[in-house]
Short mmCIF file of all heavy atoms in Angstrom, two decimals:
data_model
loop_
_atom_site.label_atom_id
_atom_site.label_comp_id
_atom_site.label_asym_id
_atom_site.label_seq_id
_atom_site.Cartn_x
_atom_site.Cartn_y
_atom_site.Cartn_z
N MET A 1 -32.65 -73.93 -111.29
CA MET A 1 -31.66 -74.57 -112.21
C MET A 1 -32.12 -75.80 -112.83
O MET A 1 -32.16 -76.08 -113.99
CB MET A 1 -30.31 -74.75 -111.50
CG MET A 1 -29.69 -73.51 -110.99
SD MET A 1 -28.05 -73.23 -111.82
CE MET A 1 -27.15 -74.76 -111.22
N SER A 2 -32.57 -76.74 -112.08
CA SER A 2 -33.05 -78.00 -112.50
C SER A 2 -34.46 -78.06 -112.89
O SER A 2 -35.18 -77.16 -112.50
CB SER A 2 -32.84 -79.19 -111.43
OG SER A 2 -33.69 -78.90 -110.29
N GLU A 3 -34.86 -78.80 -113.78
CA GLU A 3 -36.25 -78.92 -114.32
C GLU A 3 -37.09 -79.32 -113.14
O GLU A 3 -36.81 -80.25 -112.26
CB GLU A 3 -36.33 -79.94 -115.42
CG GLU A 3 -35.56 -79.61 -116.71
CD GLU A 3 -36.21 -78.45 -117.40
OE1 GLU A 3 -37.42 -78.42 -117.49
OE2 GLU A 3 -35.51 -77.71 -118.06
N GLU A 4 -38.38 -78.71 -113.06
CA GLU A 4 -39.32 -79.20 -112.19
C GLU A 4 -39.66 -80.68 -112.13
O GLU A 4 -39.84 -81.25 -111.18
CB GLU A 4 -40.63 -78.50 -112.38
CG GLU A 4 -40.59 -77.08 -111.83
CD GLU A 4 -41.04 -76.87 -110.38
OE1 GLU A 4 -41.61 -77.84 -109.86
OE2 GLU A 4 -40.79 -75.90 -109.85
N SER A 5 -39.58 -81.21 -113.32
CA SER A 5 -39.92 -82.64 -113.52
C SER A 5 -38.85 -83.57 -113.16
O SER A 5 -39.11 -84.89 -112.93
CB SER A 5 -40.39 -82.99 -114.92
OG SER A 5 -39.18 -82.65 -115.81
N GLU A 6 -37.55 -83.08 -112.88
CA GLU A 6 -36.50 -83.92 -112.56
C GLU A 6 -36.46 -84.19 -111.15
O GLU A 6 -36.49 -83.24 -110.29
CB GLU A 6 -35.26 -83.17 -113.03
CG GLU A 6 -34.04 -84.01 -113.12
CD GLU A 6 -32.76 -83.31 -113.52
OE1 GLU A 6 -32.88 -82.17 -113.74
OE2 GLU A 6 -31.74 -84.05 -113.70
N LEU A 7 -36.51 -85.45 -110.69
CA LEU A 7 -36.69 -85.80 -109.34
C LEU A 7 -35.36 -86.16 -108.91
O LEU A 7 -34.71 -87.17 -109.22
CB LEU A 7 -37.60 -87.07 -109.20
CG LEU A 7 -39.00 -86.75 -109.50
CD1 LEU A 7 -39.86 -87.92 -109.52
CD2 LEU A 7 -39.63 -85.68 -108.65
N LEU A 8 -34.72 -85.49 -107.98
CA LEU A 8 -33.41 -85.60 -107.39
C LEU A 8 -33.54 -86.06 -106.03
O LEU A 8 -34.30 -85.80 -105.19
CB LEU A 8 -32.60 -84.37 -107.59
CG LEU A 8 -32.34 -83.84 -108.90
CD1 LEU A 8 -31.57 -82.54 -108.90
CD2 LEU A 8 -31.60 -84.85 -109.74
N CYS A 9 -32.43 -86.81 -105.57
CA CYS A 9 -32.26 -87.32 -104.36
C CYS A 9 -32.25 -86.12 -103.23
O CYS A 9 -31.70 -85.04 -103.49
CB CYS A 9 -30.86 -88.01 -104.09
SG CYS A 9 -30.42 -88.66 -102.54
N SER A 10 -32.88 -86.35 -102.16
CA SER A 10 -32.94 -85.27 -101.00
C SER A 10 -31.84 -85.26 -100.10
O SER A 10 -31.73 -84.36 -99.35
CB SER A 10 -34.28 -85.56 -100.22
OG SER A 10 -35.44 -85.62 -100.97
N ALA A 11 -30.97 -86.21 -100.20
CA ALA A 11 -29.80 -86.15 -99.42
C ALA A 11 -28.84 -84.94 -99.66
O ALA A 11 -28.74 -84.59 -100.80
CB ALA A 11 -28.83 -87.53 -99.63
N LYS A 12 -28.31 -84.50 -98.58
CA LYS A 12 -27.51 -83.27 -98.76
C LYS A 12 -26.33 -83.31 -99.60
O LYS A 12 -25.60 -84.24 -99.59
CB LYS A 12 -26.98 -82.87 -97.33
CG LYS A 12 -26.56 -81.40 -97.16
CD LYS A 12 -26.31 -80.99 -95.71
CE LYS A 12 -25.95 -79.63 -95.57
NZ LYS A 12 -25.50 -79.30 -94.22
N GLY A 13 -26.43 -82.32 -100.66
CA GLY A 13 -25.21 -82.43 -101.61
C GLY A 13 -25.40 -83.33 -102.68
O GLY A 13 -24.53 -83.48 -103.60
N CYS A 14 -26.38 -84.22 -102.69
CA CYS A 14 -26.46 -85.30 -103.71
C CYS A 14 -27.35 -84.78 -104.84
O CYS A 14 -28.40 -84.13 -104.66
CB CYS A 14 -27.13 -86.43 -103.04
SG CYS A 14 -27.30 -87.86 -104.35
N ARG A 15 -26.74 -85.01 -106.04
CA ARG A 15 -27.60 -84.52 -107.34
C ARG A 15 -28.03 -85.72 -108.12
O ARG A 15 -28.32 -85.49 -109.32
CB ARG A 15 -26.67 -83.56 -108.17
CG ARG A 15 -26.27 -82.39 -107.32
CD ARG A 15 -27.19 -81.33 -107.02
NE ARG A 15 -27.81 -80.75 -108.13
CZ ARG A 15 -28.96 -80.16 -108.27
NH1 ARG A 15 -29.56 -80.06 -107.11
NH2 ARG A 15 -29.41 -79.67 -109.32
N ARG A 16 -27.97 -86.85 -107.56
CA ARG A 16 -28.37 -88.09 -108.35
C ARG A 16 -29.92 -88.12 -108.50
O ARG A 16 -30.60 -87.61 -107.72
CB ARG A 16 -27.81 -89.24 -107.75
CG ARG A 16 -26.38 -89.32 -107.62
CD ARG A 16 -25.95 -90.52 -106.78
NE ARG A 16 -25.23 -91.49 -107.63
CZ ARG A 16 -25.20 -92.79 -107.37
NH1 ARG A 16 -25.70 -93.18 -106.23
NH2 ARG A 16 -24.48 -93.48 -108.18
N PRO A 17 -30.27 -88.71 -109.66
CA PRO A 17 -31.75 -88.90 -109.83
C PRO A 17 -32.35 -89.86 -108.73
O PRO A 17 -31.68 -90.89 -108.36
CB PRO A 17 -31.90 -89.64 -111.15
CG PRO A 17 -30.55 -89.90 -111.56
CD PRO A 17 -29.56 -89.29 -110.71
N ALA A 18 -33.55 -89.56 -108.18
CA ALA A 18 -34.10 -90.43 -107.22
C ALA A 18 -34.64 -91.60 -107.69
O ALA A 18 -35.19 -91.69 -108.84
CB ALA A 18 -35.27 -89.60 -106.57
N ALA A 19 -34.61 -92.74 -106.98
CA ALA A 19 -35.13 -94.00 -107.43
C ALA A 19 -36.24 -94.53 -106.36
O ALA A 19 -36.94 -95.38 -106.63
CB ALA A 19 -34.05 -95.08 -107.45
N TYR A 20 -36.26 -93.73 -105.18
CA TYR A 20 -37.21 -94.18 -104.12
C TYR A 20 -37.91 -92.99 -103.54
O TYR A 20 -37.31 -91.82 -103.64
CB TYR A 20 -36.45 -94.92 -103.05
CG TYR A 20 -35.87 -96.16 -103.44
CD1 TYR A 20 -34.45 -96.10 -103.88
CD2 TYR A 20 -36.53 -97.37 -103.54
CE1 TYR A 20 -33.82 -97.29 -104.36
CE2 TYR A 20 -35.92 -98.54 -103.97
CZ TYR A 20 -34.56 -98.51 -104.40
OH TYR A 20 -34.04 -99.60 -104.87
N LYS A 21 -39.02 -93.09 -102.97
CA LYS A 21 -39.69 -92.12 -102.28
C LYS A 21 -40.03 -92.63 -100.84
O LYS A 21 -40.62 -93.67 -100.59
CB LYS A 21 -41.18 -92.07 -102.98
CG LYS A 21 -41.92 -90.64 -102.71
CD LYS A 21 -42.96 -90.39 -103.71
CE LYS A 21 -43.98 -91.57 -103.88
NZ LYS A 21 -45.07 -91.18 -104.69
N LEU A 22 -39.48 -91.86 -99.85
CA LEU A 22 -39.73 -92.17 -98.49
C LEU A 22 -40.79 -91.28 -97.92
O LEU A 22 -40.77 -90.16 -98.04
CB LEU A 22 -38.35 -91.97 -97.61
CG LEU A 22 -37.08 -92.40 -98.30
CD1 LEU A 22 -35.97 -92.01 -97.35
CD2 LEU A 22 -37.13 -93.87 -98.32
N LEU A 23 -41.74 -92.05 -97.38
CA LEU A 23 -42.99 -91.32 -96.82
C LEU A 23 -42.85 -91.35 -95.33
O LEU A 23 -42.65 -92.41 -94.72
CB LEU A 23 -44.25 -92.08 -97.22
CG LEU A 23 -44.39 -92.20 -98.90
CD1 LEU A 23 -45.62 -93.11 -99.13
CD2 LEU A 23 -44.49 -90.80 -99.47
N TRP A 24 -42.92 -90.08 -94.86
CA TRP A 24 -42.74 -90.07 -93.27
C TRP A 24 -43.62 -89.12 -92.75
O TRP A 24 -44.30 -88.26 -93.46
CB TRP A 24 -41.34 -89.74 -92.92
CG TRP A 24 -40.75 -88.36 -93.51
CD1 TRP A 24 -40.33 -88.22 -94.81
CD2 TRP A 24 -40.64 -87.18 -92.75
NE1 TRP A 24 -39.97 -86.92 -94.88
CE2 TRP A 24 -40.11 -86.21 -93.66
CE3 TRP A 24 -40.88 -86.79 -91.47
CZ2 TRP A 24 -39.92 -84.90 -93.24
CZ3 TRP A 24 -40.59 -85.46 -91.00
CH2 TRP A 24 -40.15 -84.67 -92.02
N ASN A 25 -43.72 -89.13 -91.43
CA ASN A 25 -44.61 -88.36 -90.60
C ASN A 25 -44.05 -88.11 -89.20
O ASN A 25 -43.51 -89.02 -88.62
CB ASN A 25 -46.02 -89.04 -90.57
CG ASN A 25 -47.04 -88.26 -89.52
OD1 ASN A 25 -46.89 -88.40 -88.30
ND2 ASN A 25 -47.93 -87.62 -90.05
N ASN A 26 -44.05 -86.74 -88.82
CA ASN A 26 -43.47 -86.51 -87.44
C ASN A 26 -44.78 -86.34 -86.56
O ASN A 26 -45.39 -85.22 -86.76
CB ASN A 26 -42.69 -85.18 -87.49
CG ASN A 26 -42.09 -84.84 -86.21
OD1 ASN A 26 -42.70 -85.30 -85.15
ND2 ASN A 26 -41.19 -83.89 -86.16
N PRO A 27 -45.12 -87.26 -85.77
CA PRO A 27 -46.37 -87.02 -84.99
C PRO A 27 -46.40 -85.75 -84.12
O PRO A 27 -47.51 -85.30 -83.78
CB PRO A 27 -46.34 -88.39 -84.00
CG PRO A 27 -45.17 -89.28 -84.53
CD PRO A 27 -44.29 -88.29 -85.45
N LYS A 28 -45.36 -85.15 -83.82
CA LYS A 28 -45.35 -83.95 -82.96
C LYS A 28 -45.70 -82.79 -83.86
O LYS A 28 -46.16 -81.80 -83.39
CB LYS A 28 -43.98 -83.69 -82.40
CG LYS A 28 -43.70 -84.65 -81.19
CD LYS A 28 -42.28 -84.36 -80.61
CE LYS A 28 -42.11 -85.25 -79.46
NZ LYS A 28 -40.59 -85.12 -79.11
N LEU A 29 -45.53 -82.85 -85.22
CA LEU A 29 -45.85 -81.70 -86.06
C LEU A 29 -46.94 -81.85 -87.10
O LEU A 29 -47.60 -81.01 -87.44
CB LEU A 29 -44.58 -81.45 -86.84
CG LEU A 29 -43.28 -80.96 -86.16
CD1 LEU A 29 -42.24 -80.67 -87.21
CD2 LEU A 29 -43.50 -79.74 -85.37
N HIS A 30 -47.19 -83.19 -87.42
CA HIS A 30 -48.14 -83.46 -88.46
C HIS A 30 -49.28 -84.22 -87.96
O HIS A 30 -49.26 -85.08 -87.06
CB HIS A 30 -47.42 -84.25 -89.48
CG HIS A 30 -46.13 -83.67 -89.99
ND1 HIS A 30 -44.99 -84.23 -90.08
CD2 HIS A 30 -45.88 -82.36 -90.38
CE1 HIS A 30 -44.04 -83.33 -90.57
NE2 HIS A 30 -44.62 -82.20 -90.69
N GLU A 31 -50.40 -84.05 -88.72
CA GLU A 31 -51.59 -84.92 -88.47
C GLU A 31 -51.24 -86.37 -88.85
O GLU A 31 -50.32 -86.55 -89.78
CB GLU A 31 -52.84 -84.41 -89.39
CG GLU A 31 -53.23 -83.09 -89.17
CD GLU A 31 -53.89 -83.02 -87.80
OE1 GLU A 31 -54.72 -83.88 -87.38
OE2 GLU A 31 -53.61 -82.02 -87.14
N PRO A 32 -51.74 -87.36 -88.12
CA PRO A 32 -51.30 -88.76 -88.39
C PRO A 32 -51.40 -89.19 -89.79
O PRO A 32 -50.64 -90.13 -90.19
CB PRO A 32 -52.33 -89.48 -87.53
CG PRO A 32 -52.98 -88.57 -86.52
CD PRO A 32 -52.82 -87.26 -87.23
N GLU A 33 -52.33 -88.76 -90.61
CA GLU A 33 -52.47 -89.17 -91.91
C GLU A 33 -51.67 -88.53 -92.96
O GLU A 33 -51.65 -88.79 -94.14
CB GLU A 33 -54.05 -89.25 -92.32
CG GLU A 33 -54.68 -87.82 -92.37
CD GLU A 33 -55.18 -87.38 -91.08
OE1 GLU A 33 -54.86 -88.02 -90.04
OE2 GLU A 33 -55.76 -86.22 -91.00
N ARG A 34 -51.07 -87.32 -92.57
CA ARG A 34 -50.27 -86.55 -93.42
C ARG A 34 -48.98 -87.23 -93.68
O ARG A 34 -48.38 -87.98 -92.87
CB ARG A 34 -49.91 -85.19 -92.74
CG ARG A 34 -48.98 -84.38 -93.45
CD ARG A 34 -49.58 -82.83 -93.64
NE ARG A 34 -48.60 -82.09 -94.33
CZ ARG A 34 -47.99 -81.09 -93.79
NH1 ARG A 34 -48.37 -80.63 -92.58
NH2 ARG A 34 -47.30 -80.33 -94.43
N ARG A 35 -48.43 -87.14 -94.99
CA ARG A 35 -47.16 -87.74 -95.34
C ARG A 35 -46.26 -86.69 -95.90
O ARG A 35 -46.59 -86.12 -96.91
CB ARG A 35 -47.36 -88.75 -96.30
CG ARG A 35 -48.06 -90.13 -95.88
CD ARG A 35 -47.24 -90.82 -94.82
NE ARG A 35 -47.85 -92.05 -94.21
CZ ARG A 35 -48.63 -92.01 -93.09
NH1 ARG A 35 -48.78 -90.82 -92.51
NH2 ARG A 35 -49.12 -93.01 -92.67
N LYS A 36 -45.11 -86.56 -95.28
CA LYS A 36 -44.05 -85.75 -96.03
C LYS A 36 -43.12 -86.70 -96.84
O LYS A 36 -43.11 -87.88 -96.52
CB LYS A 36 -43.04 -85.22 -94.90
CG LYS A 36 -43.79 -84.32 -93.92
CD LYS A 36 -44.28 -83.05 -94.60
CE LYS A 36 -42.90 -82.13 -94.67
NZ LYS A 36 -43.31 -80.89 -95.29
N THR A 37 -42.65 -86.24 -97.90
CA THR A 37 -41.86 -87.04 -98.83
C THR A 37 -40.45 -86.67 -98.96
O THR A 37 -40.16 -85.39 -99.16
CB THR A 37 -42.59 -87.02 -100.17
OG1 THR A 37 -44.02 -87.41 -100.17
CG2 THR A 37 -41.80 -87.91 -101.25
N TRP A 38 -39.56 -87.53 -98.91
CA TRP A 38 -38.18 -87.39 -99.23
C TRP A 38 -37.96 -88.29 -100.44
O TRP A 38 -38.39 -89.33 -100.57
CB TRP A 38 -37.13 -87.84 -98.18
CG TRP A 38 -36.99 -86.74 -97.14
CD1 TRP A 38 -37.52 -85.48 -97.04
CD2 TRP A 38 -36.20 -86.92 -95.97
NE1 TRP A 38 -37.09 -84.78 -95.88
CE2 TRP A 38 -36.29 -85.71 -95.24
CE3 TRP A 38 -35.45 -87.93 -95.36
CZ2 TRP A 38 -35.64 -85.43 -94.01
CZ3 TRP A 38 -34.78 -87.73 -94.21
CH2 TRP A 38 -34.85 -86.52 -93.54
N LEU A 39 -37.06 -87.80 -101.37
CA LEU A 39 -36.65 -88.70 -102.41
C LEU A 39 -35.21 -89.14 -102.22
O LEU A 39 -34.37 -88.38 -101.65
CB LEU A 39 -36.60 -87.81 -103.78
CG LEU A 39 -38.06 -87.18 -104.16
CD1 LEU A 39 -37.87 -86.31 -105.32
CD2 LEU A 39 -38.95 -88.34 -104.50
N ALA A 40 -35.05 -90.29 -102.72
CA ALA A 40 -33.63 -90.92 -102.49
C ALA A 40 -33.14 -91.73 -103.71
O ALA A 40 -33.88 -92.33 -104.38
CB ALA A 40 -33.68 -91.84 -101.26
N CYS A 41 -31.79 -91.54 -103.96
CA CYS A 41 -31.26 -92.45 -104.89
C CYS A 41 -30.86 -93.78 -104.32
O CYS A 41 -31.03 -93.94 -103.08
CB CYS A 41 -29.82 -91.66 -105.39
SG CYS A 41 -28.59 -91.47 -104.15
N ASP A 42 -30.43 -94.73 -105.07
CA ASP A 42 -30.11 -96.03 -104.49
C ASP A 42 -29.01 -95.88 -103.41
O ASP A 42 -29.18 -96.64 -102.50
CB ASP A 42 -29.39 -96.80 -105.74
CG ASP A 42 -30.25 -97.49 -106.58
OD1 ASP A 42 -31.33 -97.82 -106.06
OD2 ASP A 42 -30.11 -97.66 -107.75
N GLU A 43 -28.01 -94.92 -103.44
CA GLU A 43 -27.01 -94.89 -102.56
C GLU A 43 -27.44 -94.40 -101.22
O GLU A 43 -26.90 -94.77 -100.15
CB GLU A 43 -25.78 -93.99 -103.22
CG GLU A 43 -24.60 -93.85 -102.27
CD GLU A 43 -23.68 -92.88 -102.91
OE1 GLU A 43 -23.67 -92.89 -104.01
OE2 GLU A 43 -22.91 -92.28 -102.16
N HIS A 44 -28.43 -93.44 -101.30
CA HIS A 44 -28.91 -92.76 -99.96
C HIS A 44 -30.21 -93.37 -99.36
O HIS A 44 -30.64 -92.87 -98.31
CB HIS A 44 -29.04 -91.33 -100.26
CG HIS A 44 -27.69 -90.69 -100.43
ND1 HIS A 44 -27.26 -90.08 -101.68
CD2 HIS A 44 -26.78 -90.52 -99.55
CE1 HIS A 44 -26.11 -89.56 -101.47
NE2 HIS A 44 -25.62 -89.77 -100.13
N ARG A 45 -30.78 -94.27 -100.12
CA ARG A 45 -32.10 -94.79 -99.63
C ARG A 45 -31.92 -95.34 -98.22
O ARG A 45 -32.73 -95.02 -97.23
CB ARG A 45 -32.64 -95.83 -100.47
CG ARG A 45 -34.01 -96.56 -100.02
CD ARG A 45 -34.30 -97.81 -100.84
NE ARG A 45 -33.33 -98.79 -100.68
CZ ARG A 45 -33.22 -99.61 -99.64
NH1 ARG A 45 -34.07 -99.42 -98.69
NH2 ARG A 45 -32.33 -100.46 -99.49
N ALA A 46 -30.91 -96.10 -97.90
CA ALA A 46 -30.81 -96.85 -96.56
C ALA A 46 -30.45 -95.78 -95.49
O ALA A 46 -31.11 -95.76 -94.57
CB ALA A 46 -29.68 -97.80 -96.69
N SER A 47 -29.60 -94.66 -95.78
CA SER A 47 -29.16 -93.83 -94.78
C SER A 47 -30.36 -92.93 -94.43
O SER A 47 -30.59 -92.59 -93.21
CB SER A 47 -27.92 -93.04 -95.05
OG SER A 47 -28.09 -92.38 -96.32
N LEU A 48 -31.13 -92.43 -95.46
CA LEU A 48 -32.30 -91.57 -95.15
C LEU A 48 -33.34 -92.28 -94.44
O LEU A 48 -33.98 -91.87 -93.48
CB LEU A 48 -32.79 -91.06 -96.43
CG LEU A 48 -31.91 -89.92 -97.25
CD1 LEU A 48 -32.45 -89.64 -98.50
CD2 LEU A 48 -31.66 -88.72 -96.31
N ALA A 49 -33.58 -93.61 -94.89
CA ALA A 49 -34.59 -94.38 -94.26
C ALA A 49 -34.20 -94.66 -92.69
O ALA A 49 -35.10 -94.57 -91.90
CB ALA A 49 -34.80 -95.69 -94.95
N ASP A 50 -32.84 -94.95 -92.55
CA ASP A 50 -32.52 -95.17 -91.13
C ASP A 50 -32.60 -93.99 -90.28
O ASP A 50 -33.01 -93.99 -89.14
CB ASP A 50 -30.96 -95.53 -91.12
CG ASP A 50 -30.71 -97.01 -91.63
OD1 ASP A 50 -31.77 -97.74 -91.75
OD2 ASP A 50 -29.56 -97.37 -91.79
N PHE A 51 -32.36 -92.74 -90.84
CA PHE A 51 -32.51 -91.52 -90.21
C PHE A 51 -33.96 -91.36 -89.66
O PHE A 51 -34.31 -90.99 -88.52
CB PHE A 51 -32.07 -90.35 -90.94
CG PHE A 51 -32.25 -88.96 -90.41
CD1 PHE A 51 -31.10 -88.42 -89.79
CD2 PHE A 51 -33.39 -88.27 -90.63
CE1 PHE A 51 -31.19 -87.12 -89.20
CE2 PHE A 51 -33.49 -86.95 -89.97
CZ PHE A 51 -32.45 -86.44 -89.28
N LEU A 52 -34.81 -91.61 -90.58
CA LEU A 52 -36.28 -91.39 -90.28
C LEU A 52 -36.76 -92.59 -89.39
O LEU A 52 -37.53 -92.28 -88.40
CB LEU A 52 -37.06 -91.44 -91.55
CG LEU A 52 -36.95 -90.20 -92.51
CD1 LEU A 52 -37.59 -90.53 -93.84
CD2 LEU A 52 -37.49 -89.05 -91.83
N ALA A 53 -36.26 -93.75 -89.53
CA ALA A 53 -36.79 -94.87 -88.73
C ALA A 53 -36.26 -94.80 -87.30
O ALA A 53 -36.99 -94.90 -86.37
CB ALA A 53 -36.26 -96.27 -89.35
N ALA A 54 -35.10 -94.15 -87.12
CA ALA A 54 -34.52 -93.99 -85.74
C ALA A 54 -35.36 -93.03 -84.98
O ALA A 54 -35.25 -93.13 -83.73
CB ALA A 54 -32.98 -93.54 -85.93
N ARG A 55 -36.02 -92.07 -85.66
CA ARG A 55 -36.81 -91.16 -84.90
C ARG A 55 -38.28 -91.42 -84.87
O ARG A 55 -39.09 -90.76 -84.36
CB ARG A 55 -36.71 -89.77 -85.63
CG ARG A 55 -35.43 -89.16 -85.27
CD ARG A 55 -34.90 -88.17 -86.39
NE ARG A 55 -33.68 -87.62 -86.18
CZ ARG A 55 -32.36 -88.36 -86.27
NH1 ARG A 55 -32.54 -89.48 -86.69
NH2 ARG A 55 -31.29 -87.76 -85.89
N GLY A 56 -38.66 -92.68 -85.48
CA GLY A 56 -40.07 -93.15 -85.40
C GLY A 56 -40.88 -92.49 -86.48
O GLY A 56 -42.08 -92.46 -86.43
N PHE A 57 -40.29 -91.85 -87.50
CA PHE A 57 -40.95 -91.06 -88.41
C PHE A 57 -41.32 -91.82 -89.74
O PHE A 57 -42.23 -91.51 -90.46
CB PHE A 57 -40.23 -89.78 -88.90
CG PHE A 57 -39.98 -88.86 -87.77
CD1 PHE A 57 -39.11 -87.61 -88.07
CD2 PHE A 57 -40.49 -88.96 -86.70
CE1 PHE A 57 -38.77 -86.92 -87.12
CE2 PHE A 57 -40.28 -87.96 -85.64
CZ PHE A 57 -39.40 -86.89 -85.86
N LEU A 58 -40.60 -92.84 -90.13
CA LEU A 58 -40.78 -93.54 -91.33
C LEU A 58 -42.00 -94.30 -91.43
O LEU A 58 -42.33 -95.07 -90.52
CB LEU A 58 -39.55 -94.51 -91.67
CG LEU A 58 -39.43 -95.17 -93.09
CD1 LEU A 58 -39.28 -94.04 -94.11
CD2 LEU A 58 -38.47 -96.14 -93.08
N ARG A 59 -42.79 -94.06 -92.48
CA ARG A 59 -44.14 -94.81 -92.51
C ARG A 59 -44.00 -95.75 -93.89
O ARG A 59 -44.60 -96.81 -93.81
CB ARG A 59 -45.20 -93.87 -92.82
CG ARG A 59 -45.54 -92.90 -91.64
CD ARG A 59 -45.94 -93.69 -90.52
NE ARG A 59 -46.20 -92.85 -89.36
CZ ARG A 59 -45.14 -92.54 -88.33
NH1 ARG A 59 -43.93 -93.15 -88.53
NH2 ARG A 59 -45.47 -91.83 -87.35
N ASP A 60 -43.24 -95.43 -94.99
CA ASP A 60 -43.39 -96.15 -96.11
C ASP A 60 -42.20 -95.81 -97.07
O ASP A 60 -41.74 -94.69 -97.04
CB ASP A 60 -44.69 -96.22 -96.82
CG ASP A 60 -45.14 -97.42 -97.58
OD1 ASP A 60 -44.33 -98.36 -97.49
OD2 ASP A 60 -46.24 -97.46 -98.02
N VAL A 61 -41.78 -96.92 -97.85
CA VAL A 61 -40.81 -96.58 -98.84
C VAL A 61 -41.31 -97.11 -100.19
O VAL A 61 -41.85 -98.41 -100.26
CB VAL A 61 -39.39 -97.34 -98.59
CG1 VAL A 61 -38.41 -96.97 -99.61
CG2 VAL A 61 -38.76 -96.81 -97.29
N GLU A 62 -41.39 -96.27 -101.19
CA GLU A 62 -41.89 -96.68 -102.44
C GLU A 62 -40.86 -96.52 -103.51
O GLU A 62 -40.20 -95.59 -103.59
CB GLU A 62 -43.13 -95.93 -102.81
CG GLU A 62 -44.39 -96.10 -102.01
CD GLU A 62 -45.53 -95.17 -102.34
OE1 GLU A 62 -45.44 -94.41 -103.30
OE2 GLU A 62 -46.62 -95.37 -101.65
N GLY A 63 -40.76 -97.44 -104.56
CA GLY A 63 -39.97 -97.32 -105.67
C GLY A 63 -40.52 -96.39 -106.68
O GLY A 63 -41.79 -96.38 -106.79
N LEU A 64 -39.83 -95.51 -107.29
CA LEU A 64 -40.23 -94.73 -108.39
C LEU A 64 -40.32 -95.46 -109.70
O LEU A 64 -39.36 -96.10 -109.90
CB LEU A 64 -39.53 -93.45 -108.62
CG LEU A 64 -39.52 -92.37 -107.23
CD1 LEU A 64 -38.50 -91.29 -107.52
CD2 LEU A 64 -40.89 -91.90 -107.08
N ALA A 65 -41.41 -95.30 -110.36
CA ALA A 65 -41.52 -96.11 -111.64
C ALA A 65 -40.62 -95.53 -112.72
O ALA A 65 -40.28 -94.40 -112.76
CB ALA A 65 -42.94 -96.07 -112.14
ZN1 LIG B 101 -28.43 -89.52 -103.14
#
């Protein structure tokens, strides 16, 4: 449905355009240098980052240009 180029927030049910990229790694599943990416809108950046940080997965947060 949506364009490939359209970057939307990864939060469940959210269809807003993403403004941030959350880079994370689950040490039990991933090589240490591997990065998984979640996209987040302004509204969900904090809750998604908190979710990852609470599990020790969050590595970096970058703004999207
Ligand atoms: Zn969102």
Side-chain angles (χ1 to χ4, degrees):
M1 294 242 304
S2 65
E3 297 286 325
E4 283 272 346
S5 60
E6 198 176 0
L7 297 174
L8 296 175
C9 177
S10 300
K12 199 173 184 184
C14 183
R15 303 291 296 162
R16 300 174 107 202
Y20 300 92
K21 196 161 65 170
L22 310 180
L23 303 174
W24 62 278
N25 172 282
N26 179 347
K28 288 183 180 161
L29 298 178
H30 306 130
E31 295 298 315
E33 63 278 4
R34 178 126 176 247
R35 290 292 178 271
K36 301 287 286 180
T37 303
W38 278 358
L39 298 170
C41 67
D42 275 329
E43 190 181 327
H44 289 114
R45 181 189 58 80
S47 56
L48 290 174
D50 283 352
F51 179 92
L52 292 169
R55 286 153 183 80
F57 295 172
L58 187 64
R59 295 297 177 270
D60 213 353
V61 179
E62 294 177 357
L64 294 175

